[in-house]
Amino acid sequence: MTLSSGVRLGPYEVLALIGAGGMGEVYRAKDSRLGREVAIKVLPASFSADPDRLRRFEHEARAAGILNHPNITAVHDIGSYEGAPYVVSELLEGETLRSALAGAKLSPRKAIDYALQIAHGLAAAHEKGIVHRDLKPENLFVTRDGRVKILDFGLAKLTHAEEGGGRQTDLPTAAAGTEPGVVLGTLGYMSPEQVKGKPTDARSDIFSFGAILYEMLSGKRAFHGDSAAETMSAILKEDPPDLSIPNQNISPGLERIVRHCLEKNAEQRFHSAHDLAFGLEALSGTSGASLAPPAASFARSRARRIPLLAGAAALVIGAALGFLARDFAAKSGPPSFKRLTFRRGTVWTARFAPDGQTVVYSAAPESNLIEVFLTRPESPESRPLGLKNASLFGVSPTGELAVMLGAKTTSRAYERFGTLARVPLAGGSPRPVLEDVRYADWSPDGKNLMVERAVGGKHRIEFPIGKVIYESSSRLETPRVSPNGKAIAFFETGGGPGFGVAVRVVDLAGKARTLATAADWWNLAWSPDGREIWYAAPEPEMAPNITSLQAVSLSGKRRLLLRFPGTLEFHDVARDGRVLLGRVSLRGQVVGLPPGEKNERELSWLDGSVLVDLSADGRTVLINEGSEGGGPNQSIYIRRTDGSPATLIGEGLGQSLSPDGRWVLSTSPTTPRKLVLLPTGAGAPRTLEFEGFTVGWVSLDLGGQGGTGGSFSPDGKSVLLVESLPGQLPRTYVGSLEGGKPRPLGRPGLTPPSFGNPISADGRFVVLMDSEKRVFLCPADGGAPLPLAGLADGEFPIQWSPDGRFLYTHRGGELPARIWRLEIATGRKELVKELAPSDPAGVTSIESIHVTPDGRSFAYSYTQNLSDLYVVEGLK
């Protein structure tokens, strides 16, 4: 049916024919009610002959009419003229993408610009359950101002039957192609599931999108044959040629996005158009493409406002920072904070993507399972990238992620090891690179990786992998490659508690030097110009629990960037100087099951509680308290498990509670190598002296084991001691509370576990461990140590049964934690209890478990690490 000028379709007056094809004719018309010009597509009259098809057409046309997005052609109305259905939509000025291509390719910048607009339009439609099903260059319109509009949404499902059979008009199409060409063109953008006649969903549109993006970048169709059968075969069985061969300016990240869209299996494509758009936005900075036309950007920003509560939180933190950084504020004005994460959990690592706006981070929200997410400042939502049990190392300039697979964490990031793998930011399967890696970072060109790992008892930095740049017996933390790729900055620990860390830099020849020292480390990064290293560290000299962000030049000159109340974790710096900061809340918790009760009870006192001991009757706990509100020294408390208020015993580090509950064995607050008896009631403290003996600090990699000794004997008359002298293995001794010379126990290198009661009730045996985590029963009378059978790797004893036949054991690093009862003679075990906090957010492991000899009562402690990620502007 061809309409003449002046014909009226309801309120619409036909002005002229625009084009025609197998799907009907398109006319320019005038809406007499509003005085505007519109486009009217009149569909074949055969629609009205099939009531079911007509009903479906009306349903989907109305669905398309509810779409309101700058990248989707607006549908104004539907109707029928002499039995032929028609659709009224906005009139566009410009050309189809097919005409814009005209057999040639687009620049990567323009291709990404168009692709990003299409992806946003698809996302808006898919969110409302509307799938296009016939996406191709003919159905994409480029307006004169550069905006891309998707045409014919929701209609393709109804018109496919028209294309393959039945009468077709002989009028030329807008694509200026023959009828066979139109059919093949449609086939060339079909998904494999469409070709097979299987059900389709939004992922079918994503496949078609990939074919269009491939054509925009290469100037050639992704799938094309001399016949329909050959084209369908190519879609089902063949991959299009690599883009990087004919187009050297196509980035690997962009090609990975195309390949991810064109996966034959729908399950392996992008799961949504939103994810696709995020991937394109992350690459847009390296490709030089704009994110979207101004109107589209404005629409997105309005639709993604941060909740008022989040803004209030940022203002509170900003006020606190302004109070603590008056000098900074006087010079430059206060920095601005925008919160990026809103779920309860731990943010482990965060990095800016190449565009400088997108942020990739790894976190464990509401659980202890780490995965990788992507977010942007204008959106309160974060999108998971499908990388479960993976922790982020870094993002390359080409949009590739370096991640740690199988990451196992405790309360601090330096206790993680895992397999380094590479994975495209756009999505795909990780490719393993190297095992047992602690840290990794990309070279500035994204071609090589720097790693830090422990080999042969030493920590070393390799750059590139396999070339050792620096090696040390001390831990090396958070190494980062400089912007010019000629140096690596890192923290090096001082070798034990209280020794602090050094901010160091090493060049590629292995020459290292110290630039600054700090009390502890909270990550570092290079300044955008590479002239400074920015790092976060606590400032105990200022006040308890104050963290500052410092800058140190390569000549060692330091300056303050920011001072923060509490714990501040520094993640990354963008090219324009914006930084990613984490506000961390660390809270030590103690939980216990008192005798005769069925439910666990909260036994923490302040906010840094660590369980040290549990009395044999289960009615008293000994707690070390290092709270954020406390002073520089640890405080020692005892508390009844019935929930009574805690009692402050003194300062120092509590070690053990005496069997009669009258004394606490502790280290001196001023001299850690001195042991002190603190009374739990009336009385005076008493310093213990041992002839020819120095209490030694033991720092062994025993999964939480090792310490000063300190356990009371069953009769309360003696204690276990550990001596550690320079150049010698540590040794365990038994010392009388009356003084004198202690007697050795076991052999050198064996020390008691830090937690639990290592001495049997009859005093005949003591549990000791070596540096390889092997457990021995050592006769108290001085006999040879006996290996303990039946323990799994990382499992250690925490308590004896009253008759000495059993040991209660626990394996470190597990959540939930499990308490086992091991029969010493046979090695048989039975599970006694599983322990897990009621709120698992930010909890990675249970750190100290104590159980009574009868196994009926227990207590444990853990650290809850909660953090929020912010992007901060205005630091100079």
Side-chain angles (χ1 to χ4, degrees):
M1 173 188 304
T2 302
L3 303 179
S4 302
S5 176
V7 172
R8 299 187 67 87
L9 283 72
Y12 308 105
E13 179 183 354
V14 174
L15 300 179
L17 176 67
I18 298 176
M23 292 169 59
E25 297 88 27
V26 180
Y27 296 89
R28 178 190 295 268
K30 185 174 182 178
D31 185 344
S32 59
R33 298 167 302 180
L34 300 178
R36 65 180 177 183
E37 291 191 348
V38 296
I40 297 180
K41 173 173 279 191
V42 181
L43 299 173
S46 58
F47 268 71
S48 61
D50 186 341
D52 180 65
R53 175 181 286 183
L54 183 61
R55 184 169 54 254
R56 286 188 289 120
F57 157 68
E58 293 175 346
H59 172 75
E60 294 215 11
R62 288 192 178 95
I66 69 173
L67 293 175
N68 182 18
H69 192 274
N71 297 119
I72 297 176
T73 304
V75 174
H76 301 317
D77 196 3
I78 61 172
S80 178
Y81 176 76
E82 295 184 358
Y86 64 81
V87 180
V88 182
S89 62
E90 64 177 315
L91 182 66
L92 302 175
E93 300 289 342
E95 61 183 351
T96 66
L97 180 60
R98 172 63 67 207
S99 298
L101 288 172
K105 63 183 180 181
L106 304 179
S107 68
R109 181 199 63 78
K110 183 168 287 187
I112 295 179
D113 187 7
Y114 288 176
L116 192 52
Q117 295 184 60
I118 299 167
H120 283 306
L122 288 175
H126 292 168
E127 279 186 348
K128 296 185 179 297
I130 303 174
V131 181
H132 195 289
R133 299 183 180 90
D134 194 28
L135 201 65
K136 55 186 176 182
E138 289 82 355
N139 282 334
L140 297 169
F141 198 90
V142 182
T143 65
R144 291 177 179 174
D145 62 356
R147 179 166 304 147
V148 179
K149 295 275 190 174
I150 305 175
L151 309 177
D152 288 346
F153 239 117
L155 304 183
K157 178 179 178 182
L158 309 175
T159 56
H160 277 318
E162 292 296 321
E163 297 175 4
R167 176 182 172 275
Q168 298 209 4
T169 177
D170 56 359
L171 291 174
T173 68
T178 64
E179 286 304 318
V182 173
V183 174
L184 288 177
T186 300
L187 282 175
Y189 306 95
M190 284 185 179
S191 65
E193 53 268 32
Q194 285 178 295
V195 171
K196 294 177 181 179
K198 294 184 176 181
T200 60
D201 57 20
R203 294 169 298 182
S204 183
D205 283 352
I206 290 175
F207 184 93
S208 302
F209 171 95
I212 295 169
L213 180 54
Y214 181 94
E215 188 169 345
M216 287 194 291
L217 293 168
S218 68
K220 298 180 180 180
R221 297 193 183 186
F223 307 102
H224 183 68
D226 294 334
S227 66
E230 291 180 0
T231 301
M232 289 188 289
S233 177
I235 291 172
L236 295 174
K237 300 178 180 179
E238 299 175 11
D239 291 326
D242 291 344
L243 287 168
S244 58
I245 295 175
N247 302 276
Q248 295 299 325
N249 60 339
I250 302 298
S251 71
L254 182 55
E255 179 159 11
R256 282 192 292 269
I257 287 180
V258 175
R259 296 293 176 189
H260 198 36
C261 292
L262 294 177
E263 292 285 355
K264 307 297 185 187
N265 185 345
E267 294 291 335
Q268 297 176 2
R269 294 175 209 149
F270 286 99
H271 289 184
S272 73
H274 273 303
D275 292 342
L276 172 59
F278 265 75
L280 289 167
E281 287 173 345
L283 288 177
S284 61
T286 60
S287 304
S290 62
L291 294 183
S297 298
F298 177 71
R300 288 200 307 276
S301 66
R302 290 190 62 182
R304 296 178 178 179
R305 294 196 181 276
I306 302 297
L308 180 61
L309 181 60
L315 290 174
V316 170
I317 294 175
L321 291 169
F323 175 77
L324 290 166
R326 289 187 296 268
D327 292 340
F328 175 86
K331 295 177 182 178
S332 308
S336 64
F337 288 73
K338 179 180 283 291
R339 187 173 173 181
L340 298 180
T341 59
F342 299 89
R343 295 176 66 184
R344 182 177 173 84
T346 306
V347 176
W348 290 98
T349 308
R351 297 287 187 265
F352 284 106
D355 66 350
Q357 296 296 322
T358 304
V359 174
V360 186
Y361 68 95
S362 53
E366 290 99 34
S367 70
N368 66 327
L369 178 64
I370 302 176
E371 55 182 312
V372 182
F373 297 85
L374 186 147
T375 190
R376 290 178 63 83
E378 67 266 22
S379 172
E381 294 291 335
S382 294
R383 298 189 176 278
L385 296 183
L387 296 172
K388 300 285 188 179
N389 198 21
S391 182
L392 179 69
F393 281 135
V395 184
S396 77
T398 59
E400 189 174 8
L401 305 182
V403 300
M404 177 194 292
L405 302 180
K408 295 184 181 299
T409 66
T410 58
S411 59
R412 289 292 296 270
Y414 60 72
E415 296 171 353
R416 293 183 298 165
F417 289 85
T419 299
L420 169 64
R422 302 170 63 154
V423 59
L425 177 58
S429 299
R431 179 170 66 85
V433 176
L434 186 66
E435 295 182 347
D436 297 327
V437 174
R438 299 180 71 237
Y439 296 101
D441 194 22
W442 289 98
S443 61
D445 59 7
K447 295 181 179 179
N448 293 305
L449 282 161
M450 177 275 299
V451 299
E452 191 277 321
R453 56 184 182 141
V455 178
K458 291 190 175 182
H459 291 263
R460 66 189 194 186
I461 295 173
E462 301 175 14
F463 183 56
I465 295 174
K467 181 181 179 182
V468 179
I469 299 296
Y470 186 77
E471 190 173 61
S472 174
S473 56
S474 299
R475 284 198 313 268
L476 311 177
E477 311 294 351
T478 65
R480 299 290 296 271
V481 181
S482 63
N484 63 10
K486 296 182 179 180
I488 298 168
F490 58 95
F491 287 111
E492 184 166 0
T493 64
F499 288 90
V501 296
V503 181
R504 309 204 74 194
V505 63
V506 60
D507 61 24
L508 300 189
K511 184 179 180 181
R513 52 199 175 97
T514 298
L515 302 181
T517 58
D520 202 347
W521 62 269
W522 290 101
N523 298 341
L524 57 76
W526 290 82
S527 63
D529 59 11
R531 297 179 180 178
E532 293 180 317
I533 297 163
W534 294 4
Y535 64 97
E539 281 194 282
E541 67 275 10
M542 284 291 301
N545 300 291
I546 294 296
T547 307
S548 67
L549 182 61
Q550 301 272 348
V552 59
S553 69
L554 297 181
S555 63
K557 184 178 180 180
R558 296 173 61 177
R559 64 189 183 94
L560 176 68
L561 295 170
L562 184 70
R563 197 167 272 135
F564 194 90
T567 300
L568 174 72
E569 193 163 32
F570 176 46
H571 290 283
D572 201 17
V573 185
R575 290 189 296 269
D576 60 3
R578 289 173 301 113
V579 302
L580 291 175
L581 296 179
R583 183 174 183 269
V584 182
S585 172
L586 295 171
R587 185 177 182 87
Q589 308 272 47
V590 176
V591 175
L593 179 67
E597 296 191 18
K598 296 182 179 180
N599 298 318
E600 296 179 3
R601 184 190 299 274
E602 169 70 39
L603 297 175
S604 308
W605 186 238
L606 300 179
D607 59 5
S609 301
V610 176
L611 177 67
V612 178
D613 203 358
L614 173 68
S615 63
D617 61 6
R619 300 188 182 279
T620 305
V621 290
L622 175 64
I623 297 173
N624 284 334
E625 185 66 60
S627 72
E628 292 192 3
N633 295 320
Q634 295 264 350
S635 299
I636 304 170
Y637 290 83
I638 59 170
R639 189 176 189 186
R640 301 287 288 178
T641 57
D642 61 6
S644 302
T647 300
L648 177 63
I649 301 301
E651 291 188 341
L653 284 173
Q655 299 288 318
S656 182
L657 187 64
S658 66
D660 59 9
R662 296 177 57 195
W663 298 94
V664 170
L665 183 67
S666 72
T667 58
S668 166
T670 56
T671 310
R673 292 180 181 270
K674 291 286 187 180
L675 291 178
V676 178
L677 287 177
L678 299 174
T680 60
R686 173 185 166 194
T687 300
L688 298 180
E689 300 287 348
F690 302 99
E691 182 182 342
F693 183 87
T694 301
V695 173
W697 180 271
V698 180
S699 182
L700 300 178
D701 185 16
L702 296 175
Q705 312 321 300
T708 58
S711 297
F712 279 97
S713 62
D715 60 9
K717 296 180 178 180
S718 59
V719 293
L720 289 184
L721 305 169
V722 175
E723 183 177 52
S724 181
L725 300 176
Q728 298 182 23
L729 291 173
R731 187 74 185 269
T732 301
Y733 292 81
V734 177
S736 171
L737 296 186
E738 301 302 322
K741 188 174 183 177
R743 58 182 176 85
L745 186 65
R747 63 171 184 264
L750 298 181
T751 59
S754 289
F755 304 121
N757 184 7
I759 308 175
S760 63
D762 57 12
R764 294 176 56 200
F765 291 96
V766 179
V767 173
L768 299 179
M769 302 175 66
D770 66 10
S771 60
E772 297 181 5
K773 304 182 183 180
R774 292 176 297 189
V775 179
F776 298 85
L777 297 182
C778 295
D781 59 9
L786 306 172
L788 181 62
L791 296 177
D793 290 341
E795 185 179 0
F796 54 90
I798 56 176
Q799 180 62 276
W800 289 83
S801 66
D803 57 10
R805 292 178 54 204
F806 300 93
L807 278 168
Y808 295 95
T809 67
H810 160 58
R811 185 177 182 180
E814 291 185 329
L815 195 66
R818 296 174 177 87
I819 300 176
W820 302 84
R821 192 173 75 158
L822 170 70
E823 188 174 30
I824 298 173
T826 64
R828 290 196 298 264
K829 288 192 304 184
E830 62 176 333
L831 182 64
V832 175
K833 185 71 177 178
E834 285 194 350
L835 307 175
S838 57
D839 177 11
V843 180
T844 56
S845 67
I846 290 176
E847 298 153 8
S848 172
I849 299 177
H850 294 255
V851 61
T852 56
D854 61 11
R856 296 179 180 177
S857 296
F858 58 85
Y860 61 92
S861 63
Y862 60 90
T863 298
Q864 194 162 42
N865 180 350
L866 301 177
S867 52
D868 300 309
L869 187 62
Y870 290 81
V871 60
V872 184
E873 296 186 48
L875 299 180
K876 298 179 181 179

